[in-house]
Amino acid sequence: MSAEDLEKYETEMELTLYREYRDVVGIFKYVVETDRRFYLCNQVDVKARTESGDVFFEVTMNDCWVWDMYRPARFAKSVKVLTFKDVNVETLTPPDIDLPKD
């Protein structure tokens, strides 16, 4: 496989992932971004924990979709993430109008 073939494959995978994201984003309430992944979910709980003087975050999510083009199954019933880095949680607001799908 040439470098050009690999790049074409990855571009197609990213486009497929974006289309899937666009199709499912409307069924979720939250966007959660960690240092390693991007999630959509309907329930999220973030707790700051301390151990040996270090602070880390425990993020628990239910009813999730994971942005990862290498995962064969992006939907997950529950996800738990432990991280020492920032966690961003945003509440999605439903659109005022429904746009037609392409």
Side-chain angles (χ1 to χ4, degrees):
M1 179 179 278
S2 70
E4 185 177 308
D5 290 339
L6 181 59
E7 187 171 327
K8 182 179 178 185
Y9 171 77
E10 287 184 347
T11 301
E12 288 173 5
M13 291 292 293
E14 287 175 5
L15 183 57
T16 300
L17 184 62
Y18 170 74
R19 287 180 178 146
E20 185 177 322
Y21 165 81
R22 183 189 62 197
D23 291 344
V24 301
V25 69
I27 63 173
F28 293 99
K29 295 179 184 177
Y30 301 99
V31 173
V32 179
E33 187 177 4
T34 68
D35 61 316
R36 300 200 54 197
R37 296 277 189 279
F38 177 89
Y39 303 88
L40 298 173
C41 64
N42 283 319
Q43 188 177 37
V44 61
D45 182 43
V46 180
K47 293 182 177 149
R49 304 277 191 198
T50 304
E51 188 171 307
S52 302
D54 293 326
V55 176
F56 65 93
F57 298 99
E58 179 181 334
V59 184
T60 306
M61 296 169 276
N62 291 312
D63 191 18
C64 304
W65 183 88
V66 184
W67 180 286
D68 186 343
M69 69 181 183
Y70 299 109
R71 275 179 79 107
R74 286 182 271 281
F75 287 96
K77 184 176 180 179
S78 64
V79 175
K80 186 177 197 176
V81 176
L82 302 176
T83 182
F84 287 96
K85 304 213 176 173
D86 291 342
V87 175
N88 184 35
V89 177
E90 296 179 31
T91 302
L92 293 170
T93 56
D96 293 333
I97 60 171
D98 288 327
L99 298 175
K101 297 202 182 246
D102 295 339

